[in-house]
Amino acid sequence: MPKYKLEYIWLDGYTPAANLRSKTKVEEFDDFPTLEQIPIWGFDGSSTRQAEGRDSDCMLKPVRHFPDPTRINGVLVLCEVMLPDMTPHPSNTRATVIDDPDAWFGFEQEYFLYQNGKPLGFPQDGFPNPQGEYYTGVGYKNVGDIARQIVEEHLDICLDAGINHMGINAEVAKGQWEFQIFAKGSKEAADQLWVARYILIRLCEQYRVDVELHCKPIRGDWNGSGMHTNFSTKYLREVGGKDYFERLMAHFEKRMDEHIAVYGPDNHLRLTGLHETQAIDKFTYGVADRGSSIRVPHSFIRNGYRGYLEDRRPNSQADPYLVVSRILRTISEVPTS
Ligand code: ADP
Ligand code: MN
Ligand code: MN
Ligand code: MN
């Protein structure tokens, strides 16, 4: 029987942003295993801020798996962290997500590639040319050399693994990039996003590059990084309507603080009202308005207030499980008629 390398992936207990952790378990299977065949496993929670040394066992419950295209007989096994009695660990944000197979999410993950303490393409001293030509740019002077190689390799690995990338692009700041992931089902897109982050961070090791997910790594006139969250429910796609939409937005405004609380650390540095953002203490929505909290696509109005909306506030370091949870909770508080 072939031996498979199962890479168990989980989120640690660091705050305000969890880190990805992983370790390998070798197991024999006749064929590529089903999720049910992959055993529950454990780790030392005292080394990940998830337990005290005296009672340090945490459990790993496999919840989604993908082939690992970078390894022979490799499997990427995304896990939830559980307590020894198999109830969710307090750090397990995935366990709090409302199950809604008809909620669709598209995340736009922005990030910087960093080397020697600065974004790829930044000179040893000082700054490169101001922002302008980098967004969707081509050419060595705009995107450098190894960045595109990393980004392309990341895309191929993710697609081979079955992660539903919708696209990639160079972003507004030098050394800043974006990938988009879309999936149907409240947990699916968030799961895929975490695994895509994992693949990217691991891939960059061999380039001596780190992935900087902080939302405002360079102060001054440089864009921060977001994780715009495009969302739709079955009702929004199929029924919608101006009245429902306006009541929904009024409730999003009421819940502004609860949303900001889970939209990623240090977001006040990014949501300033500049650089295609709304200020952190204001809630606005607008058609095609990239300076608003929620951008309403033209297609939404054209289709009779039906379709998806873009919440532009979540930042690059946000936990997509918390983002999805909050959006679905706010929507669930608004009666449909
Ligand atoms: P922009 O950069 O103009 O904001 P992107 O193309 O980067 O737009 O991202 C828009 C995302 O919206 C796409 O990745 C797509 O997956 C997502 N999306 C499209 N339709 C829906 C929908 N009905 N529900 C949720 N997300 C959607
Ligand atoms: Mn985008
Ligand atoms: Mn973007
Ligand atoms: Mn966007």
Side-chain angles (χ1 to χ4, degrees), residues 22-321:
S22 77
K23 61 174 181 162
T24 309
K25 182 175 181 50
V26 177
E27 289 269 335
E28 290 187 1
F29 298 103
D30 286 331
D31 284 305
F32 190 83
T34 62
L35 185 62
E36 290 68 37
Q37 284 177 296
I38 299 176
I40 287 169
W41 201 20
F43 67 97
D44 168 16
S46 72
S47 299
T48 60
R49 300 195 182 161
Q50 282 161 311
E52 301 295 330
R54 257 182 266 228
D55 181 14
S56 65
D57 275 5
C58 287
M59 310 310 287
L60 291 171
K61 178 181 143 197
V63 292
R64 206 178 288 284
H65 71 317
F66 305 84
D68 185 346
T70 68
R71 270 171 145 182
I72 295 166
N73 291 334
V75 189
L76 298 164
V77 184
L78 182 68
C79 298
E80 279 188 26
V81 175
M82 312 300 276
L83 295 166
D85 67 1
M86 291 310 284
T87 58
H89 187 276
S91 66
N92 180 350
T93 52
R94 187 182 188 276
T96 68
V97 179
I98 304 169
D99 253 316
D100 180 354
D102 293 318
W104 299 356
F105 287 91
F107 296 111
E108 303 170 50
Q109 173 74 62
E110 295 178 338
Y111 60 95
F112 281 86
L113 293 174
Y114 257 60
Q115 197 165 45
N116 303 323
K118 50 185 66 175
L120 279 186
F122 270 51
Q124 215 36 262
D125 299 302
F127 290 90
N129 289 336
Q131 294 185 161
E133 293 184 24
Y134 305 130
Y135 169 73
T136 59
V138 286
Y140 174 71
K141 73 178 160 72
N142 287 327
V143 294
D145 46 10
I146 60 171
R148 197 183 293 280
Q149 196 177 329
I150 292 170
V151 166
E152 291 285 325
E153 233 180 294
H154 178 240
L155 176 62
D156 281 338
I157 296 167
C158 287
L159 290 176
D160 283 352
I163 289 173
N164 195 34
H165 272 239
M166 298 297 286
I168 50 176
N169 61 270
E171 267 302 337
V172 175
K174 191 158 200 181
Q176 189 187 31
W177 294 79
E178 169 178 312
F179 62 84
Q180 303 107 33
I181 287 180
F182 171 82
K184 300 177 178 181
S186 50
K187 291 183 183 172
E188 176 89 50
D191 286 347
Q192 292 194 17
L193 184 70
W194 273 119
V195 175
R197 283 178 178 176
Y198 173 85
I199 291 171
L200 179 63
I201 294 166
R202 190 182 65 176
L203 171 68
C204 284
E205 293 165 357
Q206 61 194 274
Y207 292 95
R208 301 185 179 189
V209 165
D210 274 306
V211 179
E212 179 54 82
L213 287 179
H214 190 272
C215 72
K216 192 74 177 182
I218 335 162
R219 304 291 170 90
D221 204 12
W222 295 92
N223 272 36
S225 298
M227 187 184 72
H228 297 169
T229 301
N230 301 274
F231 63 93
S232 63
T233 57
K234 191 172 160 66
Y235 191 85
L236 259 176
R237 290 190 303 273
E238 294 178 4
V239 185
K242 190 161 191 254
D243 173 65
Y244 175 68
F245 167 75
E246 283 171 356
R247 284 187 292 113
L248 189 64
M249 289 301 96
H251 197 60
F252 265 79
E253 178 164 19
K254 195 168 153 210
R255 289 277 180 249
M256 182 175 80
D257 292 347
E258 288 89 338
H259 281 258
I260 292 296
V262 295
Y263 278 3
D266 294 335
N267 223 357
H268 60 286
L269 300 175
R270 164 180 168 261
L271 297 180
T272 56
L274 302 172
H275 303 113
E276 303 170 56
T277 69
Q278 177 54 285
I280 195 162
D281 57 353
K282 291 209 179 78
F283 178 85
T284 56
Y285 60 91
V287 178
D289 182 0
R290 287 166 197 275
S292 60
S293 317
I294 290 195
R295 178 173 68 96
V296 184
H298 281 296
S299 62
F300 187 86
I301 309 293
R302 244 191 346 260
N303 294 332
Y305 291 80
R306 274 191 290 267
Y308 74 95
L309 300 167
E310 178 190 37
D311 194 334
R312 301 176 58 80
R313 296 169 296 171
N315 79 31
S316 44
Q317 214 176 10
D319 176 350
Y321 296 133

